[in-house]
Amino acid sequence: MTDNEWSKILGWPGYRVYRSEINEADKTLRLWVRHKRGNRKLTCSGCGRRVSKIADSYEREVRDLPCFEYRTTVLIELSRVRCPDCGIKAERVEQLPSKAPFSKRFEEAVGQACESAAARRVAHQFGLAASTVRAIDLRYLKRWAAARRKPALRQMGVDEIHLGKKQKFLTVVCNLETGEPVWFGRERKKETLDEFFEQQLSGFQRSAIRAACVDMWEPFRQSIQQWAPQCKIVYDKFHIMQHANQAVDEVRRAEFFRKGGAAREVVKGKRWLLLSRWVHLNTHKKRQLNALFALNRRVMKAYLLKESLDRLWSYRYEGAMLRYLQSWIDQLRWQRLKPMEKLGWMLLNHLDGILNYCRIKVPLGMVEAVNGNIKALLRRGRGYSDMNYLLLKAQRLAATKIEFVAFQKAA
Ligand SMILES: [Zn+2]
Protein backbone atom coordinates (compact mmCIF):
# COMPACT_ATOMS: atom_id res chain seq x y z
CA MET A 1 0.00 0.00 0.00
CA THR A 2 1.34 3.43 -0.87
CA ASP A 3 1.48 6.34 1.59
CA ASN A 4 -1.06 8.10 -0.57
CA GLU A 5 -3.52 5.21 -0.17
CA TRP A 6 -2.92 5.10 3.58
CA SER A 7 -3.64 8.85 3.72
CA LYS A 8 -7.00 8.25 2.06
CA ILE A 9 -7.92 5.36 4.38
CA LEU A 10 -6.85 7.26 7.51
CA GLY A 11 -8.83 10.30 6.41
CA TRP A 12 -7.41 12.98 8.69
CA PRO A 13 -8.16 16.25 6.90
CA GLY A 14 -4.99 18.25 6.19
CA TYR A 15 -2.64 15.37 7.07
CA ARG A 16 -0.78 12.85 4.98
CA VAL A 17 0.83 9.52 5.86
CA TYR A 18 4.58 9.42 5.13
CA ARG A 19 5.45 6.09 6.67
CA SER A 20 3.60 2.93 7.68
CA GLU A 21 4.44 -0.23 9.55
CA ILE A 22 2.41 -3.42 9.81
CA ASN A 23 3.15 -5.99 12.48
CA GLU A 24 1.36 -9.22 11.52
CA ALA A 25 2.23 -11.10 14.70
CA ASP A 26 0.93 -8.39 17.04
CA LYS A 27 -1.81 -7.28 14.66
CA THR A 28 -0.79 -3.68 14.95
CA LEU A 29 -0.60 -0.91 12.41
CA ARG A 30 1.49 2.25 12.86
CA LEU A 31 1.03 5.28 10.65
CA TRP A 32 3.31 8.33 10.68
CA VAL A 33 1.57 11.53 9.60
CA ARG A 34 2.42 15.19 9.04
CA HIS A 35 0.76 18.29 7.61
CA LYS A 36 0.06 18.27 3.88
CA ARG A 37 2.39 20.53 1.95
CA GLY A 38 1.39 24.15 1.41
CA ASN A 39 -0.62 24.30 4.61
CA ARG A 40 1.80 26.15 6.83
CA LYS A 41 -0.29 28.44 9.02
CA LEU A 42 -0.92 26.72 12.29
CA THR A 43 -3.38 27.38 15.11
CA CYS A 44 -2.16 28.37 18.57
CA SER A 45 -3.66 26.06 21.20
CA GLY A 46 -3.61 28.90 23.71
CA CYS A 47 -5.70 31.55 21.96
CA GLY A 48 -6.80 29.99 18.67
CA ARG A 49 -5.15 32.55 16.36
CA ARG A 50 -3.36 31.55 13.17
CA VAL A 51 0.42 31.70 13.53
CA SER A 52 3.10 31.12 10.91
CA LYS A 53 6.26 31.20 13.09
CA ILE A 54 7.29 27.72 14.20
CA ALA A 55 9.57 27.18 17.19
CA ASP A 56 10.23 23.45 17.00
CA SER A 57 8.72 20.07 16.14
CA TYR A 58 8.02 16.94 18.12
CA GLU A 59 6.13 13.68 17.76
CA ARG A 60 3.01 12.47 19.53
CA GLU A 61 1.55 9.00 19.54
CA VAL A 62 -2.21 8.41 19.77
CA ARG A 63 -4.48 5.43 19.44
CA ASP A 64 -7.02 5.74 16.61
CA LEU A 65 -9.88 3.51 15.48
CA PRO A 66 -8.75 0.00 14.50
CA CYS A 67 -8.20 -0.88 10.85
CA PHE A 68 -10.02 -4.21 10.47
CA GLU A 69 -8.26 -6.51 12.95
CA TYR A 70 -5.33 -4.17 13.41
CA ARG A 71 -5.01 -1.91 16.40
CA THR A 72 -3.97 1.40 14.91
CA THR A 73 -1.53 3.94 16.30
CA VAL A 74 -0.97 7.28 14.62
CA LEU A 75 2.32 9.12 15.15
CA ILE A 76 1.88 12.79 14.39
CA GLU A 77 4.55 15.33 13.66
CA LEU A 78 3.53 18.39 15.64
CA SER A 79 4.89 21.88 15.99
CA ARG A 80 5.19 24.41 18.73
CA VAL A 81 4.32 27.85 17.46
CA ARG A 82 5.63 31.26 18.49
CA CYS A 83 2.40 33.05 19.27
CA PRO A 84 2.60 36.84 19.68
CA ASP A 85 0.14 36.59 22.58
CA CYS A 86 0.92 33.30 24.30
CA GLY A 87 4.61 32.74 23.58
CA ILE A 88 5.69 29.22 22.65
CA LYS A 89 2.63 26.97 22.50
CA ALA A 90 1.69 23.65 20.95
CA GLU A 91 -0.35 23.89 17.75
CA ARG A 92 -4.01 22.97 17.97
CA VAL A 93 -5.02 19.84 16.09
CA GLU A 94 -8.69 19.00 15.52
CA GLN A 95 -8.05 15.26 15.82
CA LEU A 96 -6.33 15.64 19.20
CA PRO A 97 -8.87 17.11 21.61
CA SER A 98 -6.91 16.44 24.81
CA LYS A 99 -3.50 15.55 26.16
CA ALA A 100 -4.55 11.91 26.47
CA PRO A 101 -3.10 9.47 23.93
CA PHE A 102 -6.27 9.01 21.87
CA SER A 103 -7.64 10.54 18.69
CA LYS A 104 -10.92 12.42 18.76
CA ARG A 105 -12.86 9.79 16.86
CA PHE A 106 -11.47 7.02 19.08
CA GLU A 107 -12.74 8.94 22.14
CA GLU A 108 -16.06 9.39 20.40
CA ALA A 109 -16.37 5.65 19.78
CA VAL A 110 -15.64 4.96 23.45
CA GLY A 111 -18.07 7.69 24.58
CA GLN A 112 -20.83 6.34 22.37
CA ALA A 113 -20.25 2.83 23.68
CA CYS A 114 -20.61 4.23 27.21
CA GLU A 115 -24.10 5.45 26.38
CA SER A 116 -25.50 1.95 26.38
CA ALA A 117 -23.07 -0.05 28.52
CA ALA A 118 -21.31 0.21 31.85
CA ALA A 119 -17.73 1.52 31.86
CA ARG A 120 -16.38 -1.88 32.86
CA ARG A 121 -17.86 -3.55 29.80
CA VAL A 122 -16.64 -0.83 27.46
CA ALA A 123 -13.19 -1.16 29.04
CA HIS A 124 -13.19 -4.85 28.20
CA GLN A 125 -14.37 -4.22 24.65
CA PHE A 126 -11.62 -1.68 23.89
CA GLY A 127 -8.87 -3.22 26.02
CA LEU A 128 -8.59 -0.21 28.30
CA ALA A 129 -8.70 0.31 32.07
CA ALA A 130 -12.14 1.22 33.42
CA SER A 131 -10.76 4.45 34.88
CA THR A 132 -9.42 5.40 31.42
CA VAL A 133 -12.82 4.72 29.88
CA ARG A 134 -14.52 6.96 32.46
CA ALA A 135 -12.01 9.74 31.78
CA ILE A 136 -12.61 9.46 28.02
CA ASP A 137 -16.38 9.41 28.55
CA LEU A 138 -16.21 12.54 30.73
CA ARG A 139 -14.21 14.43 28.08
CA TYR A 140 -16.62 13.24 25.39
CA LEU A 141 -19.60 14.52 27.38
CA LYS A 142 -17.90 17.84 28.19
CA ARG A 143 -17.22 18.45 24.50
CA TRP A 144 -20.84 17.61 23.68
CA ALA A 145 -22.13 19.98 26.39
CA ALA A 146 -19.81 22.81 25.27
CA ALA A 147 -20.97 22.54 21.65
CA ARG A 148 -24.70 22.65 22.17
CA ARG A 149 -27.17 25.37 22.95
CA LYS A 150 -28.79 24.97 26.33
CA PRO A 151 -32.59 25.17 26.18
CA ALA A 152 -34.23 27.97 28.17
CA LEU A 153 -35.60 27.14 31.61
CA ARG A 154 -39.27 28.14 31.80
CA GLN A 155 -40.67 25.28 33.82
CA MET A 156 -38.45 23.68 36.41
CA GLY A 157 -38.76 20.59 38.54
CA VAL A 158 -37.04 20.21 41.88
CA ASP A 159 -36.70 16.82 43.47
CA GLU A 160 -34.43 15.04 45.85
CA ILE A 161 -32.85 11.64 45.53
CA HIS A 162 -31.85 9.73 48.62
CA LEU A 163 -28.34 8.45 48.00
CA GLY A 164 -27.83 6.54 51.22
CA LYS A 165 -26.92 7.04 54.83
CA LYS A 166 -23.55 8.63 54.19
CA GLN A 167 -24.15 11.01 51.29
CA LYS A 168 -27.80 11.54 52.17
CA PHE A 169 -29.59 13.73 49.63
CA LEU A 170 -28.99 14.96 46.15
CA THR A 171 -31.15 17.87 45.01
CA VAL A 172 -32.02 17.62 41.33
CA VAL A 173 -33.21 20.60 39.29
CA CYS A 174 -34.65 19.65 35.91
CA ASN A 175 -36.15 21.33 32.86
CA LEU A 176 -39.73 20.09 32.64
CA GLU A 177 -40.07 20.95 28.97
CA THR A 178 -37.05 18.96 27.80
CA GLY A 179 -36.93 16.36 30.54
CA GLU A 180 -33.28 16.91 31.26
CA PRO A 181 -31.59 17.49 34.59
CA VAL A 182 -30.05 20.96 34.77
CA TRP A 183 -28.18 20.96 38.04
CA PHE A 184 -27.28 18.77 41.04
CA GLY A 185 -26.74 20.01 44.56
CA ARG A 186 -25.69 18.38 47.79
CA GLU A 187 -28.30 18.07 50.55
CA ARG A 188 -31.77 19.59 50.35
CA LYS A 189 -31.67 22.82 52.30
CA LYS A 190 -32.83 26.25 51.28
CA GLU A 191 -29.16 27.12 50.76
CA THR A 192 -28.86 24.24 48.30
CA LEU A 193 -31.46 25.68 45.94
CA ASP A 194 -30.25 29.25 46.65
CA GLU A 195 -26.91 28.20 45.23
CA PHE A 196 -28.55 27.11 41.99
CA PHE A 197 -30.45 30.37 41.53
CA GLU A 198 -27.49 32.49 42.48
CA GLN A 199 -24.68 30.78 40.60
CA GLN A 200 -26.30 29.09 37.62
CA LEU A 201 -28.80 31.69 36.43
CA SER A 202 -28.69 35.36 35.54
CA GLY A 203 -31.39 37.72 36.80
CA PHE A 204 -33.03 37.54 33.40
CA GLN A 205 -33.01 33.74 33.39
CA ARG A 206 -34.53 33.67 36.87
CA SER A 207 -37.31 36.00 35.79
CA ALA A 208 -38.11 33.73 32.82
CA ILE A 209 -39.12 30.80 35.03
CA ARG A 210 -42.91 30.44 34.94
CA ALA A 211 -43.53 27.37 37.05
CA ALA A 212 -41.77 25.02 39.44
CA CYS A 213 -42.89 21.52 40.33
CA VAL A 214 -41.67 20.76 43.83
CA ASP A 215 -42.33 18.60 46.82
CA MET A 216 -44.24 20.14 49.72
CA TRP A 217 -40.90 20.92 51.30
CA GLU A 218 -40.72 24.32 52.94
CA PRO A 219 -37.02 25.17 52.27
CA PHE A 220 -37.48 24.76 48.51
CA ARG A 221 -40.61 26.91 48.51
CA GLN A 222 -38.80 29.67 50.42
CA SER A 223 -35.87 29.63 48.04
CA ILE A 224 -38.11 29.83 44.96
CA GLN A 225 -40.10 32.70 46.43
CA GLN A 226 -36.96 34.61 47.20
CA TRP A 227 -35.24 34.19 43.83
CA ALA A 228 -38.12 33.84 41.39
CA PRO A 229 -41.17 35.48 43.00
CA GLN A 230 -43.13 35.46 39.71
CA CYS A 231 -42.77 31.68 39.44
CA LYS A 232 -45.87 29.65 40.27
CA ILE A 233 -45.24 26.74 42.60
CA VAL A 234 -47.02 23.54 41.61
CA TYR A 235 -47.15 20.68 44.08
CA ASP A 236 -47.17 17.87 41.60
CA LYS A 237 -48.92 14.55 41.59
CA PHE A 238 -45.73 12.51 41.83
CA HIS A 239 -44.68 14.08 45.12
CA ILE A 240 -48.14 14.13 46.66
CA MET A 241 -48.69 10.48 45.79
CA GLN A 242 -45.35 9.69 47.44
CA HIS A 243 -46.76 11.17 50.65
CA ALA A 244 -49.99 9.21 50.16
CA ASN A 245 -47.98 5.99 49.83
CA GLN A 246 -46.10 6.80 53.01
CA ALA A 247 -49.40 7.33 54.81
CA VAL A 248 -50.75 3.95 53.65
CA ASP A 249 -47.53 2.34 54.80
CA GLU A 250 -47.84 3.95 58.22
CA VAL A 251 -51.39 2.63 58.56
CA ARG A 252 -50.20 -0.86 57.64
CA ARG A 253 -47.44 -0.75 60.23
CA ALA A 254 -49.71 0.57 62.96
CA GLU A 255 -52.41 -2.03 62.23
CA PHE A 256 -50.18 -5.06 62.08
CA PHE A 257 -47.64 -4.03 64.69
CA ARG A 258 -48.92 -6.28 67.46
CA LYS A 259 -50.47 -8.96 65.32
CA GLY A 260 -48.71 -12.29 65.28
CA GLY A 261 -49.12 -15.70 63.67
CA ALA A 262 -51.33 -16.03 60.60
CA ALA A 263 -51.92 -12.30 60.12
CA ARG A 264 -48.21 -11.59 60.07
CA GLU A 265 -47.74 -14.25 57.38
CA VAL A 266 -50.38 -12.64 55.15
CA VAL A 267 -48.88 -9.17 55.57
CA LYS A 268 -45.31 -10.27 55.01
CA GLY A 269 -43.83 -8.93 51.77
CA LYS A 270 -47.05 -7.07 50.87
CA ARG A 271 -45.64 -3.63 51.46
CA TRP A 272 -44.94 -2.89 47.80
CA LEU A 273 -48.33 -4.29 46.79
CA LEU A 274 -49.93 -1.58 48.89
CA LEU A 275 -47.73 0.98 47.19
CA SER A 276 -48.77 -0.16 43.70
CA ARG A 277 -51.74 1.19 41.80
CA TRP A 278 -54.60 -1.31 41.53
CA VAL A 279 -54.63 -1.09 37.71
CA HIS A 280 -50.99 -2.17 37.59
CA LEU A 281 -51.59 -5.41 39.47
CA ASN A 282 -52.36 -8.74 37.84
CA THR A 283 -55.15 -11.05 39.01
CA HIS A 284 -52.89 -12.99 41.33
CA LYS A 285 -51.58 -9.85 43.01
CA LYS A 286 -55.08 -8.42 43.33
CA ARG A 287 -56.15 -11.61 45.10
CA GLN A 288 -53.23 -11.31 47.51
CA LEU A 289 -54.19 -7.75 48.28
CA ASN A 290 -57.84 -8.75 48.81
CA ALA A 291 -56.73 -11.41 51.31
CA LEU A 292 -54.91 -8.68 53.19
CA PHE A 293 -57.96 -6.40 53.10
CA ALA A 294 -60.16 -9.21 54.46
CA LEU A 295 -57.95 -9.21 57.56
CA ASN A 296 -57.98 -5.49 58.08
CA ARG A 297 -60.58 -3.05 56.82
CA ARG A 298 -58.59 -0.01 57.87
CA VAL A 299 -55.65 -0.87 55.66
CA MET A 300 -58.16 -1.38 52.87
CA LYS A 301 -59.75 2.00 53.54
CA ALA A 302 -56.35 3.70 53.49
CA TYR A 303 -55.51 1.99 50.21
CA LEU A 304 -58.80 3.04 48.62
CA LEU A 305 -58.29 6.61 49.78
CA LYS A 306 -54.88 6.66 48.17
CA GLU A 307 -56.31 5.22 44.97
CA SER A 308 -59.05 7.82 44.79
CA LEU A 309 -56.68 10.72 45.52
CA ASP A 310 -54.98 9.90 42.24
CA ARG A 311 -58.07 11.11 40.40
CA LEU A 312 -57.54 14.65 41.71
CA TRP A 313 -55.35 15.45 38.70
CA SER A 314 -58.00 14.45 36.20
CA TYR A 315 -59.80 17.76 36.91
CA ARG A 316 -58.96 20.69 34.70
CA TYR A 317 -60.97 23.35 36.49
CA GLU A 318 -59.98 24.79 39.82
CA GLY A 319 -63.51 24.62 41.26
CA ALA A 320 -63.96 20.98 40.32
CA MET A 321 -60.53 20.05 41.66
CA LEU A 322 -61.25 21.82 44.94
CA ARG A 323 -64.66 20.14 45.30
CA TYR A 324 -63.10 16.74 44.69
CA LEU A 325 -60.41 17.41 47.29
CA GLN A 326 -63.01 18.51 49.82
CA SER A 327 -65.11 15.39 49.32
CA TRP A 328 -61.93 13.32 49.62
CA ILE A 329 -61.11 14.96 52.96
CA ASP A 330 -64.73 14.48 54.10
CA GLN A 331 -64.28 10.75 53.69
CA LEU A 332 -61.55 10.81 56.34
CA ARG A 333 -64.06 11.66 59.05
CA TRP A 334 -64.82 8.88 61.56
CA GLN A 335 -62.17 6.67 59.98
CA ARG A 336 -59.59 7.23 62.71
CA LEU A 337 -56.76 6.90 60.20
CA LYS A 338 -54.21 9.26 61.73
CA PRO A 339 -51.63 9.16 58.90
CA MET A 340 -54.34 9.88 56.30
CA GLU A 341 -55.67 12.76 58.39
CA LYS A 342 -52.16 14.18 58.55
CA LEU A 343 -51.98 13.94 54.78
CA GLY A 344 -55.33 15.72 54.51
CA TRP A 345 -54.04 18.61 56.62
CA MET A 346 -50.90 18.78 54.56
CA LEU A 347 -52.96 19.05 51.35
CA LEU A 348 -55.14 21.80 52.81
CA ASN A 349 -52.07 23.74 53.91
CA HIS A 350 -50.65 23.57 50.39
CA LEU A 351 -53.93 24.10 48.59
CA ASP A 352 -52.81 26.98 46.42
CA GLY A 353 -49.88 25.04 44.99
CA ILE A 354 -52.10 22.02 44.33
CA LEU A 355 -54.71 24.10 42.51
CA ASN A 356 -51.94 25.79 40.52
CA TYR A 357 -51.95 22.64 38.44
CA CYS A 358 -55.19 23.94 36.89
CA ARG A 359 -53.78 27.43 36.38
CA ILE A 360 -50.56 26.52 34.64
CA LYS A 361 -50.05 23.38 32.60
CA VAL A 362 -46.97 21.43 33.55
CA PRO A 363 -46.19 17.99 32.20
CA LEU A 364 -47.26 15.37 34.73
CA GLY A 365 -44.76 12.67 35.50
CA MET A 366 -41.71 14.49 34.15
CA VAL A 367 -40.07 14.90 37.56
CA GLU A 368 -40.67 11.21 38.17
CA ALA A 369 -39.14 10.25 34.81
CA VAL A 370 -35.99 12.35 35.36
CA ASN A 371 -35.66 10.93 38.85
CA GLY A 372 -36.02 7.39 37.47
CA ASN A 373 -33.32 7.92 34.83
CA ILE A 374 -30.82 9.19 37.39
CA LYS A 375 -31.54 6.27 39.70
CA ALA A 376 -31.03 3.87 36.79
CA LEU A 377 -27.65 5.47 36.04
CA LEU A 378 -26.63 5.23 39.70
CA ARG A 379 -27.58 1.56 39.79
CA ARG A 380 -25.76 0.73 36.57
CA GLY A 381 -22.48 2.47 37.04
CA ARG A 382 -21.06 2.87 40.54
CA GLY A 383 -18.15 5.28 40.66
CA TYR A 384 -20.12 8.49 40.19
CA SER A 385 -18.20 10.16 42.98
CA ASP A 386 -17.94 13.03 40.49
CA MET A 387 -21.36 14.70 40.51
CA ASN A 388 -20.54 16.64 37.36
CA TYR A 389 -19.97 13.38 35.50
CA LEU A 390 -23.30 12.00 36.68
CA LEU A 391 -25.06 15.22 35.63
CA LEU A 392 -23.53 15.23 32.14
CA LYS A 393 -24.36 11.56 31.76
CA ALA A 394 -27.99 12.13 32.73
CA GLN A 395 -28.24 15.17 30.44
CA ARG A 396 -26.88 13.21 27.52
CA LEU A 397 -29.28 10.35 28.24
CA ALA A 398 -32.23 12.77 28.26
CA ALA A 399 -31.07 14.58 25.11
CA THR A 400 -30.50 11.41 23.09
CA LYS A 401 -33.85 9.97 24.14
CA ILE A 402 -35.57 13.15 23.02
CA GLU A 403 -33.63 13.18 19.77
CA PHE A 404 -34.74 9.61 19.24
CA VAL A 405 -38.38 10.46 19.87
CA ALA A 406 -38.15 13.51 17.60
CA PHE A 407 -36.59 11.35 14.91
CA GLN A 408 -39.37 8.80 15.18
CA LYS A 409 -41.97 11.55 14.83
CA ALA A 410 -40.28 12.90 11.72
CA ALA A 411 -40.14 9.44 10.15
ZN1 LIG B 1 -1.81 32.17 21.25
Side-chain angles (χ1 to χ4, degrees), residues 44 47 83 86:
C44 166
C47 63
C83 175
C86 315

XYZ file of all heavy atoms in Angstrom, residues 44 47 83 86, ligand 1:
25
model
N -2.686 28.370 17.206
C -2.156 28.371 18.567
C -3.175 27.705 19.497
O -4.354 28.049 19.469
C -1.870 29.805 19.010
S -1.613 29.947 20.786
N -4.698 30.521 22.241
C -5.697 31.547 21.958
C -6.480 31.281 20.684
O -7.486 31.938 20.431
C -5.013 32.910 21.868
S -3.826 33.006 20.510
N 3.587 32.205 19.342
C 2.402 33.051 19.274
C 2.722 34.426 19.852
O 3.336 34.506 20.909
C 1.263 32.392 20.036
S -0.219 33.403 20.137
N 0.725 34.342 23.289
C 0.919 33.298 24.304
C 2.369 32.845 24.443
O 2.688 32.071 25.338
C 0.064 32.074 23.988
S -1.614 32.463 23.506
Zn -1.809 32.174 21.246
